[in-house]
Amino acid sequence: MEPLRNILRHKTAAVKFYEADATKIDHEKKVVYISDDSDIKGDISQTEVPYDMLVVAVGAMSATFGIPGVREHSCFLKEVGDAQAIRKKIMDCVETATFKDQSQEEVERLLHMVVVGGGPTGVEFAGELQDFFEEDLKKWIPEIADKFHVTLVEALPNVLPMFSKALIDYTEKVFKDEKITVRTKTMVKNVTDKTIEAEITHPDGTKSLEVMPYGLLVWATGNAIRPVVKDLMSRIPAQKNSRRGLAVNEYLVVDGTENIWALGDCSATKYAPTAQVASQEGAFLARLFNSMAKTQSLEDDIHRLSELKSTASGPEEHEKLDAQLQAREKQLNRLKQMGPFEYTHQGSLAYIGSDRAVADISWLNGNFATGGGLTYLFWRSAYLSMCFSTRNRVLVVMDWLKAKIFGRDVSRE
Ligand SMILES: Cc1cc2nc3c(=O)[nH]c(=O)nc-3n(C[C@H](O)[C@H](O)[C@H](O)COP(=O)(O)OP(=O)(O)OC[C@H]3O[C@@H](n4cnc5c(N)ncnc54)[C@H](O)[C@@H]3O)c2cc1C
């Protein structure tokens, strides 16, 4: 986590930060309603923030596609709290499985860890979970060695659809070696507290239903729109046909509005909902706003110089003011030429377990696909280089070292 207060401390511009939930955006009144959701409340816990210009960047929430039982029984992998809940649940499953006189059938269910969603999040989590078992759990509790089992479930014919075919095959082979079961063409239809009901499409096209008992279910199937965004969309007619989030133009202005911008996972663009896209959009908006501010100040300057020029006392002063005016007009024209947002894809990376990773890197107008141990080192260095602050970079390295030397932290509080 990157504490916002720490980032804002270093800003020269005045930034007011409120830790609050934006519950509603009224684009006609130009007001955002906010509510303090923390455990400790003061006299006021709900209020409104008026705005001239608004940037919506609330991200998305985990999609469940309305499948019964998913919201109630699965763990998600989106916020930091979700990761902590998963850690607690894994250890609860392991300790309950080793409880005295537990039946074999129940031990197998409790130690069956199911991950639904074969995108990078699901694949990386399945790989990490198997690592945790091989590197830590197996040493501490050898009696569960032949019972712990990770299954990755995916509705499409293969995992990691955004990667090249060779890397998909490589990932599936590595998973096989790691003893992770990959169940493709398997669509979850219903979830109870102990079982998953899935529809399997067989190679001949026939379908059958299967019931899988599980101890831990991690749901990683992509994004759904947050309620505050859904509510805003429902009140803007131009957003009627947008299904994935706020539809925006090429300058990230929300369709149907003039002074609202949206970026990242809450917006619907032709790009994938990734941090890579969100951060480039953020940098673009910062440039756009700076250029709007400079335009305003140049226009004010030009207005002032024109007035001075009209009352200039002699030809020398007139010439001097004229030169200044021309320079400002040139700057203004350059500023006004700022083009729309363009995304530069740097590549896709995913960790697949046992110190191996896959990478599809954009390179010299082409693509470079690679997988294995060296790619894993590249993956680690990419993560480090993309940490926002030196503080976090150091903390991440220390965490990796700590886990290598002492094993992973399994505390449940
Ligand atoms: C497990 C996982 C791994 C990922 N790995 C990668 C990766 O390796 N590379 C990559 O490019 N992408 C990755 N992604 C995707 C990436 O995290 C997102 O695309 C990116 O974070 C989107 O940025 P954002 O700013 O739009 O939203 P977010 O990062 O989700 O930020 C939104 C913020 O808004 C806050 N918020 C939400 N609702 C409200 C509200 N009503 N009021 C006030 N605040 C609110 C949230 O608390 C959050 O802090 C991963 C995603 C997951 C879940």
Side-chain angles (χ1 to χ4, degrees):
M1 291 291 276
E2 196 74 67
L4 272 174
R5 291 276 183 203
N6 195 30
I7 300 169
L8 298 180
R9 198 165 56 103
H10 301 292
K11 296 284 163 210
T12 44
V15 181
K16 274 194 184 147
F17 168 68
Y18 304 113
E19 189 183 85
D21 195 16
T23 48
K24 189 179 166 180
I25 297 164
D26 189 329
H27 71 293
E28 276 159 359
K29 281 198 200 155
K30 292 199 193 169
V31 163
V32 178
Y33 295 88
I34 61 168
S35 130
D36 176 4
D37 268 357
S38 61
D39 292 339
I40 297 177
K41 300 266 192 296
D43 287 343
I44 289 185
S45 61
Q46 283 181 350
T47 186
E48 48 187 73
V49 183
Y51 67 84
D52 294 318
M53 292 154 74
L54 177 72
V55 178
V56 185
V58 293
M61 54 187 221
S62 300
T64 63
F65 307 106
I67 298 168
V70 175
R71 213 45 66 222
E72 298 85 329
H73 304 298
S74 13
C75 291
F76 296 100
L77 190 44
K78 191 87 185 132
E79 316 287 340
V80 170
D82 296 338
Q84 287 162 335
I86 291 174
R87 177 165 78 184
K88 180 176 186 301
K89 193 135 188 213
I90 296 170
M91 291 317 294
D92 277 353
C93 283
V94 169
E95 295 301 351
T96 309
T98 51
F99 191 74
K100 190 168 178 294
D101 301 333
Q102 198 70 265
S103 73
Q104 276 312 300
E105 202 183 331
E106 191 63 348
V107 171
E108 273 169 31
R109 177 186 75 78
L110 286 162
L111 296 178
H112 187 203
M113 312 277 144
V114 179
V115 182
V116 179
T121 299
V123 165
E124 289 197 332
F125 179 71
E128 279 279 355
L129 187 54
Q130 188 67 25
D131 281 359
F132 174 44
F133 170 66
E134 291 293 338
E135 291 163 18
D136 297 308
L137 275 182
K138 218 164 142 177
K139 288 182 206 149
W140 302 336
I141 321 169
E143 58 268 34
I144 64 165
D146 57 342
K147 297 284 190 302
F148 191 92
H149 187 200
V150 179
T151 300
L152 180 65
V153 174
E154 166 59 53
L156 294 175
N158 51 262
V159 297
L160 295 179
M162 67 292 289
F163 282 81
S164 60
K165 174 85 175 72
L167 288 182
I168 291 170
D169 292 346
Y170 176 74
T171 304
E172 289 184 350
K173 187 190 160 298
V174 169
F175 269 20
K176 205 169 168 193
D177 296 346
E178 289 170 356
K179 301 195 182 64
I180 297 172
T181 307
V182 178
R183 302 288 304 265
T184 50
K185 294 190 182 172
T186 303
M187 192 178 283
V188 176
K189 293 282 177 186
N190 189 35
V191 172
T192 70
D193 58 341
K194 292 181 181 171
T195 59
I196 294 162
E197 218 173 272
E199 185 185 79
I200 296 143
T201 307
H202 299 282
D204 62 2
T206 58
K207 292 183 177 177
S208 64
L209 269 185
E210 188 181 317
V211 176
M212 288 181 225
Y214 72 90
L216 169 83
L217 169 62
V218 173
W219 195 265
T221 57
N223 289 344
I225 307 175
R226 286 200 189 271
V228 65
V229 172
K230 215 183 242 175
D231 174 69
L232 175 64
M233 289 170 71
S234 70
R235 283 177 292 106
I236 302 174
Q239 296 288 332
K240 203 177 75 199
N241 297 324
S242 184
R243 296 278 161 269
R244 288 181 300 116
L246 284 161
V248 291
N249 72 10
E250 70 269 44
Y251 286 87
L252 309 182
V253 178
V254 172
D255 289 350
T257 72
E258 276 173 6
N259 50 1
I260 306 183
W261 285 258
L263 73 154
D265 288 4
C266 69
S267 63
T269 60
K270 57 185 170 184
Y271 311 114
T274 63
Q276 215 180 136
V277 173
S279 70
Q280 289 184 30
E281 287 177 336
F284 168 81
L285 272 196
R287 280 198 307 279
L288 184 76
F289 291 159
N290 278 341
S291 116
M292 282 162 73
K294 277 187 202 144
T295 305
Q296 180 72 49
S297 115
L298 277 173
E299 278 171 353
D300 291 348
D301 246 15
I302 289 171
H303 183 70
R304 186 179 54 82
L305 287 168
S306 308
E307 276 182 356
L308 283 176
K309 198 176 124 185
S310 64
T311 57
S313 50
E316 213 171 279
E317 196 186 342
H318 192 275
E319 213 170 283
K320 200 171 128 201
L321 285 167
D322 200 44
Q324 285 181 8
L325 254 176
Q326 278 182 24
R328 300 285 192 288
E329 269 160 7
K330 236 188 213 165
Q331 279 177 330
L332 187 64
N333 279 342
R334 263 205 307 271
L335 269 178
K336 283 189 170 166
Q337 275 163 16
M338 183 167 169
F341 173 69
E342 268 174 43
Y343 170 63
T344 324
H345 186 61
Q346 320 224 301
S348 307
L349 274 169
Y351 178 64
I352 56 173
S354 56
D355 295 349
R356 278 175 277 188
V358 286
D360 251 330
I361 310 290
S362 310
W363 201 42
L364 298 175
N365 290 338
N367 246 36
F368 176 63
T370 169
L374 271 180
T375 315
Y376 165 68
L377 293 178
F378 174 67
W379 175 83
R380 288 225 147 170
S381 62
Y383 264 64
L384 272 190
S385 72
M386 278 161 205
C387 281
F388 202 75
S389 63
T390 310
R391 170 191 170 276
N392 258 17
R393 221 161 272 143
V394 173
L395 290 179
V396 169
V397 170
M398 277 165 48
D399 200 57
W400 284 343
L401 287 175
K402 201 175 71 182
K404 250 304 160 267
I405 300 167
F406 301 111
R408 289 167 176 82
D409 182 2
V410 293
S411 52
R412 270 173 276 178
E413 299 301 329

